[in-house]
Structures are given as structure tokens and as C-alpha cells.
Amino acid sequence: ALAHLRMSSLAHLTAWANMVQEWYAAGLRGEVPPTPAPGLTWQQVPILNQRIYDQNKDRPLADIRADFDRSYQQLSDVIPTIPEEVLFTRGHYSWTKSTTLGAYFVSCGGSHYHWARELIRKWAKARA
């Protein structure tokens, strides 16, 4: 059960970290990426999360872990390269609308990592 929880959490974190980096790259190219995903609205995020789960549920944990490590490193590498005015100016990219790019990185990165850590911690505590 813990391996399954780790697998689904790491796959989820990887997908969201990759998405925010893809959105940022599209913004740099002057494009407006479909957020959160093509054909889905923010109210349909549960559908997107289920798709992420379905795409990864049968993958080996070692592969998912390698993808997670790679996405985490890429996210850690890209954020410090973004100028503060780009990170913290509301609507700098049209796709961020009234929020900031930094808020997207927090939501898809740090907040998600905290969520996963707490999820695993609560599961472990309930099993003890």
C-alpha cells in the first residue's frame, strides 16, 4: 500500500511540475498554453488528476521515481533563472490571468510537495 501511495503521489508531483514548466516555456515563446490541460477547465482538475493516475498506475516505481527526480531537479534549476518581475507581476503572461507565474510555481511545486509529504505521513501514522 505504501508503494502504491508513493507511486501515485510521485507521478502526480511529476506531472504537475512538468505542466508548469511547459506553461512557462510556452509563455517564453509568446504562446498561450491550454491550462490546466487541453479541453479541461480548472474546475475539471479532478479529471486531469485521474488521467495522471491512470497513465502511471502500472508503471514501475523505480521509473516513476527517476521521472520525479528529474522533474524536481528541472524545477529547482529553472525557478532561480526567472527574473523577479516575471515571477511576481500579475498577468505577466496572458495565461496567468490575474495571478502571478510565481503562484503557479508554488501551487504546482512546493504546495504539491507539501501535500504529498503530509498524505504519506498521515497514512504511515494511521498504520502505526
Side-chain angles (χ1 to χ4, degrees):
L2 178 58
H4 179 76
L5 182 61
R6 284 186 60 208
M7 176 279 300
S8 61
S9 297
L10 292 176
H12 181 92
L13 295 173
T14 301
W16 281 95
N18 289 341
M19 283 188 286
V20 74
Q21 291 179 86
E22 290 166 10
W23 302 334
Y24 172 59
L28 287 174
R29 295 187 303 268
E31 300 168 5
V32 179
T35 57
L40 294 178
T41 67
W42 286 105
Q43 289 73 34
Q44 295 171 308
V45 165
I47 294 169
L48 176 57
N49 288 336
Q50 184 63 48
R51 287 180 186 170
I52 293 166
Y53 174 80
D54 291 342
Q55 291 167 355
N56 290 282
K57 67 182 178 184
D58 297 322
R59 294 181 60 215
L61 179 57
D63 292 351
I64 291 171
R65 178 61 196 247
D67 287 348
F68 169 77
D69 290 343
R70 189 170 26 260
S71 73
Y72 178 85
Q73 190 60 54
Q74 289 169 342
L75 197 62
S76 297
D77 290 346
V78 75
I79 292 172
T81 70
I82 304 170
E84 285 187 30
E85 62 273 10
V86 173
L87 276 173
F88 301 116
T89 300
R90 292 181 185 276
H92 179 83
Y93 295 111
S94 61
W95 60 268
T96 64
K97 299 187 170 101
S98 63
T99 193
T100 66
L101 177 63
Y104 275 83
F105 275 106
V106 167
S107 178
C108 296
S111 291
H112 259 107
Y113 297 134
H114 178 75
W115 161 81
R117 186 184 78 219
E118 289 301 304
L119 182 70
I120 293 169
R121 184 188 65 76
K122 286 178 184 175
W123 178 89
K125 186 177 180 182
R127 303 276 303 175

